[in-house]
Amino acid sequence: WMVSAGFQERWWGPGWEGSQILGTNARPFPHLAIQRNKSTPFETRFLSWIGPWSLTGFIGVLDDEREINNAQMFGLRASFRPDPWGIQGLEIGLSRTAQLCGEGRPCGFDTYMNMLFGRDNRGVNVDPMDEPGNQLGAIDARWASPIGHLPYALYMQWGAEDGREGLSPLGDFLRQVGAETWGGIAGTDWTHRTHLELSQTNCSQGGIGGSGADWNCAYNHSIYRTGYRYQGRVMGNGIDNDGLSYSLGSTLSGTGNGSWQVLLRHVDLNRGGAADPAHSLSAGPNQLNELAVSHEREAFGGRLSVGMGLSRLDAPLNIGDGDGFTAFVQWQTGL
């Protein structure tokens, strides 16, 4: 096992453009973590079918300016590659996060027990005064070449909000599906890794989130009104709640030539219609079309990255004007 403390970035899920539960859209917050240092399978016959597995847990503090200051952040993720019937290339992940405690909120052993055992739906399985906090759960899977041996993979991630008062603890689902392929480019020494991804961040009810859109639900909470955000950015999918994103991207790599990244994306932002001042990108409905190109290579004794992007918006974003051209240059060295 490995124990660490600091500001570590975490990306939980198989998606390329975002994670429904925890990604790198927001800056990392200070936290203490423990992680399994190896992924060797169990040796007992009753658990060996789980295959290689890993486990990560952390607890930190959201130290920015918030409706409830100094709220704590808890996270737990397990992933495994089962092989009970000779299945190859399948990896499954189970993730859970929670905001709890903070100024003026209960924060004791009972609070953590209520959170861990899902007793956090006020008036259903916990007294309203004792509701521990704001929870999200997610299941994800990535399956490489489920049919045949071609170079491709299919993946999905279902996130679940805890906001269904009077109903089951989890039942409002955020969905993401995608496919990726890779290989060489004929006649060249270049290789590619290309993905097509769809993400939906409005809560959808039903057994697998297939009906009944619940707007202004994801990444928001009635007690922790700053929401599932840190320093103004959502900690889950970067399109924030009520979004729908279609993206096509590719990474091209050549021997000694560095790599190129190309991304084409369309996003319907904040589709719920009602003004949402907590939304980190757009207070109302908006549409974004984006083309981004970047290049990385070894240069001048370090790693040089350059990029540019073109974007088109129906209306300005909360973070500033949207239409136009952006560019960046970055150089990093390990010294």
Side-chain angles (χ1 to χ4, degrees):
W1 294 89
M2 177 175 65
V3 177
S4 61
F7 296 78
Q8 291 180 274
E9 291 186 329
R10 301 189 183 277
W11 185 283
W12 285 2
W16 282 79
E17 305 305 328
S19 166
Q20 303 296 73
I21 189 167
L22 189 62
T24 57
N25 180 63
R27 293 184 63 85
F29 49 87
H31 61 272
L32 176 69
I34 183 169
Q35 180 175 340
R36 191 171 189 242
N37 212 22
K38 297 180 180 180
S39 59
T40 51
F42 288 106
E43 295 182 359
T44 65
R45 65 173 183 170
F46 298 106
L47 295 175
S48 60
W49 63 270
I50 293 175
W53 63 279
S54 63
L55 183 68
T56 301
F58 68 78
I59 184 168
V61 60
L62 302 176
D63 58 347
D64 55 343
E65 293 186 10
R66 311 182 63 83
E67 185 82 13
I68 296 178
N69 289 323
N70 297 318
Q72 294 179 18
M73 187 74 180
F74 167 87
L76 185 67
R77 176 174 172 82
S79 61
F80 52 97
R81 299 194 296 276
D83 188 15
W85 304 287
I87 296 175
Q88 300 293 322
L90 176 64
E91 182 168 5
I92 298 173
L94 303 171
S95 305
R96 190 173 175 188
T97 58
Q99 293 173 293
L100 69 167
C101 298
E103 293 181 6
R105 295 295 304 162
C107 189
F109 179 79
D110 289 344
T111 303
Y112 267 85
M113 290 300 100
N114 286 337
M115 180 271 293
L116 288 172
F117 290 102
R119 296 191 292 265
D120 68 344
N121 274 37
R122 64 180 70 180
V124 179
N125 52 20
V126 69
D127 187 88
M129 295 299 295
D130 296 327
E131 181 179 354
N134 178 25
Q135 294 200 60
L136 280 84
I139 179 171
D140 58 78
R142 181 183 183 276
W143 198 351
S145 305
I147 300 176
H149 300 284
L150 296 174
Y152 75 100
L154 305 176
Y155 61 88
M156 57 77 69
Q157 186 176 50
W158 252 238
E161 273 279 5
D162 63 348
R164 300 211 305 171
E165 275 193 46
L167 298 172
S168 60
L170 296 176
D172 279 323
F173 293 92
L174 292 66
R175 297 174 288 176
Q176 180 185 77
V177 294
E180 58 180 293
T181 183
W182 55 89
I185 300 176
T188 72
D189 63 349
W190 289 81
T191 62
H192 77 96
R193 195 171 194 102
T194 303
H195 67 273
L196 179 65
E197 187 170 293
L198 167 67
S199 295
Q200 180 179 336
T201 58
N202 62 276
C203 295
S204 296
Q205 299 176 11
I208 57 174
S211 63
D214 187 0
W215 303 113
N216 201 21
C217 155
Y219 307 135
N220 287 338
H221 196 260
S222 58
I223 295 176
Y224 293 84
R225 296 185 180 275
T226 309
Y228 195 72
R229 301 173 180 91
Y230 181 64
Q231 295 189 6
R233 291 178 176 268
V234 67
M235 292 182 284
N237 197 307
I239 63 176
D240 213 311
N241 66 41
D242 296 349
L244 178 64
S245 171
Y246 306 90
S247 60
L248 174 64
S250 186
T251 297
L252 308 174
S253 302
T255 305
N257 297 316
S259 64
W260 289 86
Q261 293 83 34
V262 182
L263 173 66
L264 181 64
R265 181 166 60 171
H266 171 82
V267 186
D268 291 325
L269 293 165
N270 203 358
R271 297 178 300 147
D276 179 10
H279 200 284
S280 62
L281 293 178
S282 182
N286 209 340
Q287 286 194 337
L288 168 67
N289 294 295
E290 183 180 28
L291 171 64
V293 180
S294 61
H295 175 60
E296 293 185 10
R297 66 182 307 135
E298 299 294 331
F300 312 113
R303 189 73 177 173
L304 177 67
S305 302
V306 296
M308 65 177 186
L310 296 172
S311 61
R312 176 71 180 174
L313 272 166
D314 282 353
L317 294 174
N318 294 352
I319 56 177
D321 294 337
D323 284 4
F325 170 82
T326 58
F328 74 90
V329 177
Q330 177 178 289
W331 181 78
Q332 291 178 292
T333 180
L335 298 178

